[in-house]
Amino acid sequence: MYDRHSTLLYSVALKVLADPEEARDVLQHVFLTLHEKAGRYDAALGRPAAWLATMARNRSIDRLRSLKRERTYAEKFRLEADPAEFSPTSHDAPAAYSDEVEMLQGAVAQLPPDQRQALELAYFGGLTQQEISDKLSQPLGTVKARIRRGLLKLRESLDGLLNS
Amino acid sequence: MNETLLETANLYALGLLTEAERTAFEQELRFHPALQQEVHALQEAALLLARSAPQVAPPADLRGELLAAFTAGTSAPAVATAREPIQKPMVVPASVSAVPPRAGSPLKILHFIPWAAAAALAFFFHQNQLATDDARLQSATAQAETAAAKSREEHYVEAVSASAAAQAQSDANLAQARAALTKAEAALAALSTERETLTAELAVLRKDSKLDKTRIAVLGSLLKNQPQAVAVSLWRQESQEGLLVVENMPALAPGRDYQLWVIDPNQKTPVSAGVFKVDAEGKVRLEFKPAHNVQSAYKFAVTIEKEGGAMVPNLEQMVVIGG
């Protein structure tokens, strides 16, 4: 379980928090929680990978909000984290890139920029739709539509990848 | 499924609900299979976002650290920061004094026996706890993976069924298209044959130099109740002779005749070219010669007249005309 999912969960935490130490804490928390609550896993709520990713993402966002109270948002959060900064060379273990991951990343990259931006602000930035609306100076309805369409497009891409 | 529920499903998949909203939605989700399916699909899409992050492996020592934390039981801190790493459990036997043995004592070795026993005991329990916790985690996660695999399998079965139905429909459409194509090919072949026949006849006519001097006129129906009535007139100006071929013309009441007229702009009234009746199938083939000379056959028309014909046509009873 750890070997299968740790890279994904750590990467999500790192993307949200942009801090390897904080990302490490999140990963610890997720697996300790899993250890304590695995028996309560409910398949109705999603596949394990999705469940774990959501847990890692939510924990990261909670942590990010906590940190924001201590530091200014601008100093801490960077939406477009530079991947090179967190390159595999800065860690003991190599990055787990694969064809599949590249293909899936391609699906996100192909989203229209406005939809991708709204989704990333929501997913990695932890911003509510109202906060995204304020940040981008766009009507709330527009933000909701971008998120809905973006997610729908990702779903279609995923269907396409599964069927290909 | 209503729009609000779908909107909430989107927000749930992206983790945008508050804890209270999330709990309420999960309650709803447990009793709503269609919603579950929708949410799972959206979660998979959200997972793409997670995978779009640059993939970086966690520090290598974290795995061992976590495993050690598991052995400490559930009382271990939920989160230990990297700056305050998770402490490995320390077991101190109650029966052993914490006072270390005095150096130089002849019985020094004996002082280590309880410590060694305690250490062995601790190691045993440590290993035992490690195995138990790992088995517990493996069992729970295996359960989860099995449930997920079952869900995926059901999804695939549905997809395969849908695919089979689509294939069957596609096959039926293809068969229909093939039948239509066969029919069209047969019609095309018939038309080709007819064209060849007509071309051959035309060649014969041209050879006889007849067609060049023959005027062909098609007379269309004016009958509302018999729109398919048609007549073709072949007219040779030079010899003042013609041939009228009629089809689908209605049979007339007793005491009535069809009368053929040649309309010549140089004459005040149409020139009569004969009277006729049609057979039971509405057909007739009439060779005609107008009552007097026609300078220019502008149009041909057929009217219904009293038996034997009339001097001038009854235009209200015109059935076909053309030129």
Side-chain angles (χ1 to χ4, degrees):
Chain A
M1 196 74 170
Y2 179 89
D3 293 341
R4 188 182 302 171
H5 299 297
S6 61
T7 294
L8 172 66
L9 306 186
Y10 182 72
S11 302
V12 168
L14 193 56
K15 172 89 172 174
V16 172
L17 293 159
D19 183 331
E21 294 299 336
E22 294 288 350
R24 178 191 177 106
D25 290 351
V26 167
L27 195 59
Q28 279 183 344
H29 172 86
V30 168
F31 277 98
L32 284 170
T33 305
L34 177 67
H35 176 63
E36 290 171 8
K37 297 183 179 175
R40 280 186 271 163
Y41 166 75
D42 185 350
L45 304 182
R47 278 207 305 132
W51 184 60
L52 288 171
T54 302
M55 202 192 297
R57 180 264 176 199
N58 289 348
R59 176 69 189 177
S60 301
I61 295 299
D62 288 346
R63 184 67 190 139
L64 180 68
R65 285 178 183 148
S66 169
L67 289 170
K68 276 163 69 179
R69 284 196 291 272
E70 301 164 14
R71 310 170 199 178
T72 64
Y73 175 79
E75 284 172 344
K76 186 59 196 162
F77 174 66
R78 282 168 296 153
L79 174 65
E80 296 298 335
D82 179 6
E85 190 178 341
F86 309 110
S87 66
T89 54
S90 64
H91 300 283
D92 297 328
Y97 277 102
S98 67
D99 291 346
E100 185 194 10
V101 168
E102 284 178 10
M103 209 157 60
L104 295 172
Q105 287 176 341
V108 176
Q110 282 171 7
L111 286 175
D114 55 349
Q115 293 174 12
R116 181 182 173 188
Q117 185 186 34
L119 280 173
E120 289 195 331
L121 282 170
Y123 194 80
F124 293 117
L127 271 59
T128 65
Q129 294 183 107
Q130 185 60 59
E131 287 169 338
I132 296 170
S133 163
D134 295 341
K135 183 177 173 65
L136 300 179
S137 303
Q138 293 288 334
L140 181 60
T142 304
V143 169
K144 284 183 175 180
R146 285 179 186 174
I147 287 176
R148 191 168 55 244
R149 286 181 198 142
L151 205 53
L152 189 65
K153 276 209 176 73
L154 281 181
R155 187 176 164 178
E156 286 167 356
S157 302
L158 188 65
D159 288 344
L161 289 173
L162 289 175
N163 293 331
S164 64
Chain B
M1 206 178 304
N2 66 48
E3 198 63 31
T4 310
L5 215 50
L6 284 174
E7 180 72 29
T8 311
N10 275 326
L11 300 179
Y12 177 76
L14 285 171
L16 294 183
L17 296 179
T18 63
E19 194 171 342
E21 290 169 337
R22 189 164 61 228
T23 305
F25 184 73
E26 286 178 348
Q27 287 297 327
E28 178 89 11
L29 200 54
R30 286 190 174 89
F31 302 103
H32 208 318
L35 184 62
Q36 278 177 29
Q37 205 172 356
E38 180 71 19
V39 164
H40 291 180
L42 290 169
Q43 282 176 327
E44 293 299 323
L47 200 55
L48 283 184
L49 273 174
R51 287 185 166 131
S52 75
Q55 299 292 289
V56 181
D61 63 322
L62 186 55
R63 191 180 195 281
E65 202 171 276
L66 274 168
L67 209 55
F70 293 157
T71 66
T74 52
S75 59
V79 174
T81 66
R83 289 166 294 286
E84 298 170 12
I86 295 166
Q87 297 298 313
K88 292 185 180 178
M90 183 180 287
V91 180
V92 179
S95 61
V96 176
S97 165
V99 180
R102 283 171 297 179
S105 166
L107 298 176
K108 186 170 67 178
I109 189 73
L110 295 176
H111 287 290
F112 286 99
I113 292 173
W115 281 97
L121 204 58
F123 180 75
F124 171 76
F125 283 120
H126 175 92
Q127 291 300 318
N128 194 37
Q129 182 65 41
L130 188 73
T132 306
D133 284 354
D134 205 29
R136 182 169 161 240
L137 177 61
Q138 291 295 334
S139 166
T141 51
Q143 218 175 359
E145 293 288 359
T146 305
K150 191 179 172 192
S151 167
R152 280 199 299 276
E153 188 183 338
E154 286 168 357
H155 178 71
Y156 291 146
V157 167
E158 278 176 23
V160 168
S161 301
S163 171
Q167 181 67 44
Q169 182 60 49
S170 174
D171 288 347
N173 291 344
L174 187 61
Q176 270 185 336
R178 279 185 177 146
L181 182 63
T182 306
K183 199 173 170 184
E185 282 174 347
L188 185 63
L191 283 172
S192 296
T193 306
E194 192 176 343
R195 184 170 176 270
E196 284 168 12
T197 306
L198 288 172
T199 304
E201 285 179 6
L202 189 62
V204 172
L205 287 169
R206 281 199 171 138
K207 190 177 176 185
D208 295 344
S209 299
K210 288 178 181 172
L211 193 61
D212 290 346
K213 296 173 183 177
T214 301
R215 163 123 190 268
I216 303 173
V218 178
L219 288 66
S221 175
L222 297 174
L223 298 172
K224 284 183 183 171
N225 60 348
Q226 199 75 10
Q228 68 273 37
V230 68
V232 176
S233 167
L234 304 178
W235 171 249
R236 298 189 68 201
Q237 178 65 29
E238 190 180 336
S239 60
Q240 294 283 298
E241 290 172 327
L243 173 68
L244 184 74
V245 179
V246 172
E247 287 192 1
N248 303 321
M249 207 80 95
L252 292 176
R256 295 283 176 183
D257 272 338
Y258 286 115
Q259 186 166 1
L260 174 64
W261 304 91
V262 182
I263 301 168
D264 181 354
N266 303 302
Q267 304 197 35
K268 287 181 182 174
T269 57
V271 180
S272 175
V275 296
F276 62 91
K277 293 185 190 297
V278 294
D279 62 16
E281 293 179 347
K283 293 181 179 177
V284 76
R285 184 184 173 90
L286 171 72
E287 290 180 358
F288 65 88
K289 194 170 177 69
H292 48 262
N293 195 52
V294 172
Q295 291 180 37
S296 173
Y298 172 63
K299 277 186 187 296
F300 297 87
V302 174
T303 58
I304 298 173
E305 306 292 349
K306 62 184 182 191
E307 197 165 28
M311 297 298 289
V312 289
N314 179 0
L315 297 180
E316 290 180 358
Q317 291 291 310
M318 188 177 289
V319 291
V320 290
I321 186 167

